[in-house]
Amino acid sequence: RYNLALSDWGISQGEITTRTSRSSSERNYGTVVHYDEKEDTDGSDVSVVLVAGGTGRIGRWVLRALTQQNPPLKIRVIVRDLETATEIFNSLGMIDLLQLVVGDVTDLESLQSKYFEDVSYVISCIGARNNEDIESVEYKGVRNLANIAAKSNTIKCFIHLSAAYILRPSEPTHIWQNYIRNNIYKWKLKGENAVRRCGIPYVIIRPTSIVDDSWTPEESEDFTRVSKIYFGEKGKLTHLNSIRLHQGDTIDGQITREHVASLLTAPVISNVPTNITFECRLETFPTKVEPNFRTLARETAPMADWIVDSEAECCWNCGRGFGLFTRRHHCRCC
C-alpha cells in the first residue's frame, strides 16, 4: 500500500547555489551523465522515470520520494545547467542515484528522443521563474515534453503538475495571479490541454495554495515532520494529517510541497487510474480522509469538447472568462 506520509524522508543539509544563466549556445545539450554505473540485478523489472523540473522546490521532493523506493527505480532528470544541477543534487545526497541529461524544455531541439528511451513514466513539475518565461515554460515547454513523449511506445503515464483556480476567472486569486504573472492560468490551461491531447495516459494534479513557500527541505529545521506546517502568524503550527482529492476546481485550501510530491509520485509506485484531473488540499485534525483515487472520474475527451454552460466559466483552451463581450461561441473559433 502506498503511504502518503513522508515523515521518513531525509534530505541532507547543504547550501544550494542558484542556477546560473547561460545562453543556449553555452549549454551542452545532448550530454548524458551516468553517476551510477552499477548493474541492475534484474533490469527488465526496473522502471525508468523521467523528471522535468527536478531542481525546483517541488521537484526536489519528487526526486527524494523516487530515490526512496524499493525496489529501486532508474531516475533520469532533464536539467538546463549541468554544473548547477550537480551541485544541488550532490548537496542533497542524491547525485549517485540520478542520471542527468542536459536539455531545455523550451527548446524542442534540445529534447532528444534518446532521453525518452525505455521511459515508463514522465513527471513534469516545471515552472516559470519569471514572468517573461511563463508562456514558453508553462505552455510551450509542457507541449514539447508531451509531444516528444507521445513518440515513445513505452510510456505508461504522463504526470503533470498544474494549479487550482485555473477554471475560475472570476475568483480574486485567479484575477490577481493573472495580473501579476502574465496570464499564468491561461498558459497553464493550455499546457494541460497539450498533455490531454498527446495521446498518452495522464494524471494532472492541481494543488491549492502552497503554504510553506519560504520552506525548502534544506532550510527547514524539521522538514521531515510533514504533519506540522507553518500556518498563519509566524511560529504557529497546525497539525495536518490528511489529503483531500476533489474535481471540478471548486475547492480552496492549502497544501505543502511534500504532500504534492507524494501525489506526483503516486502513479509510479501504486495503482492509480489514468486520464484524471484533480485538485488537492490538506484537511486539519481531527478529520481523517484517505486519498481515494478510485472515486475520481476519468476524462473521456479533451476539455475543449461540449459541456453544459453551468460547468464552464471560461474557455478550456485559452482560459478567457465568458461575459458580455466573450460569449461561449468563442470556443468554436479558439
Side-chain angles (χ1 to χ4, degrees):
R1 180 188 175 192
Y2 178 60
N3 183 12
L4 284 170
L6 308 177
S7 57
D8 58 341
W9 292 9
I11 297 180
S12 59
Q13 301 294 322
E15 183 68 21
I16 303 304
T17 303
T18 304
R19 182 173 62 194
T20 56
S21 176
R22 297 185 180 181
S23 64
S24 298
S25 59
E26 293 176 319
R27 297 194 184 113
N28 189 13
Y29 292 138
T31 300
V32 181
V33 180
H34 296 268
Y35 285 101
D36 188 0
E37 298 293 349
K38 293 183 293 185
E39 295 184 0
D40 301 301
T41 56
D42 186 3
S44 60
D45 295 332
V46 178
S47 295
V48 181
V49 183
L50 179 68
V51 179
T55 58
R57 290 183 176 182
I58 292 178
R60 298 176 198 179
W61 284 105
V62 168
L63 293 176
R64 173 53 59 190
L66 295 175
T67 56
Q68 294 293 318
Q69 297 310 305
N70 188 19
L73 302 166
K74 288 184 178 179
I75 307 168
R76 189 174 300 158
V77 188
I78 298 177
V79 299
R80 290 201 305 173
D81 190 302
L82 182 61
E83 181 181 352
T84 301
T86 301
E87 186 173 356
I88 290 174
F89 298 134
N90 185 54
S91 67
L92 296 177
M94 296 189 292
I95 194 65
D96 294 331
L97 306 175
L98 306 176
Q99 179 193 51
L100 305 186
V101 295
V102 181
D104 188 343
V105 296
T106 64
D107 183 359
L108 186 60
E109 295 181 356
S110 74
L111 299 176
Q112 302 185 28
S113 59
K114 66 180 180 180
Y115 296 170
F116 295 81
E117 291 179 358
D118 302 324
V119 170
S120 300
Y121 301 91
V122 176
I123 300 180
S124 170
C125 45
I126 60 177
R129 297 198 173 197
N130 53 68
N131 288 349
E132 291 75 17
D133 295 335
I134 285 179
E135 178 183 356
S136 59
V137 174
E138 303 288 355
Y139 168 49
K140 295 180 180 178
V142 175
R143 183 187 62 186
N144 290 341
L145 279 175
N147 288 345
I148 297 181
K151 299 177 181 178
S152 172
N153 58 5
T154 62
I155 296 177
K156 300 177 182 178
C157 185
F158 192 107
I159 307 156
H160 176 57
L161 176 65
S162 185
Y165 306 102
I166 200 171
L167 300 178
R168 289 182 271 176
S170 59
E171 286 278 342
T173 299
H174 185 112
I175 296 172
W176 175 245
Q177 288 296 322
N178 270 350
Y179 175 73
I180 66 173
R181 298 216 63 197
N182 195 22
N183 290 316
I184 187 170
Y185 286 122
K186 167 186 174 180
W187 301 116
K188 279 186 175 291
L189 183 57
K190 291 176 76 69
E192 283 189 7
N193 283 327
V195 173
R196 294 186 180 100
R197 295 188 177 112
C198 74
I200 300 175
Y202 62 86
V203 174
I204 298 175
I205 300 173
R206 296 170 174 167
T208 49
S209 300
I210 303 293
V211 293
D212 57 341
D213 188 65
S214 61
W215 284 11
T216 62
E218 310 81 50
E219 296 169 351
S220 174
E221 295 180 357
D222 192 13
F223 63 91
T224 58
R225 299 184 62 188
V226 296
S227 62
K228 289 186 176 181
I229 186 174
Y230 182 80
F231 231 53
E233 64 183 57
K234 185 176 181 180
K236 182 180 179 181
L237 295 174
T238 301
H239 289 268
L240 301 166
N241 61 354
S242 303
I243 300 179
R244 178 180 292 276
L245 309 183
H246 195 271
Q247 289 180 302
D249 196 17
T250 59
I251 65 168
D252 300 313
Q254 297 168 315
I255 193 168
T256 70
R257 289 184 172 84
E258 300 96 314
H259 286 83
V260 174
S262 72
L263 294 173
L264 285 167
T265 56
V268 178
I269 57 184
S270 62
N271 189 17
V272 173
T274 56
N275 295 346
I276 57 175
T277 301
F278 63 90
E279 296 78 47
C280 53
R281 75 177 183 193
L282 289 178
E283 296 286 82
T284 56
F285 183 86
T287 304
K288 293 184 178 180
V289 180
E290 291 286 345
N292 189 353
F293 294 96
R294 297 295 170 186
T295 62
L296 301 176
R298 297 193 180 194
E299 298 169 348
T300 58
M303 288 294 191
D305 288 359
W306 287 101
I307 58 174
V308 296
D309 288 355
S310 60
E311 296 181 3
E313 293 188 7
C314 64
C315 175
W316 289 95
N317 189 55
C318 70
R320 182 180 300 177
F322 299 129
L324 180 62
F325 299 104
T326 303
R327 312 303 295 174
R328 288 177 171 81
H329 296 288
H330 154 90
C331 292
R332 297 183 180 182
C333 302
C334 186

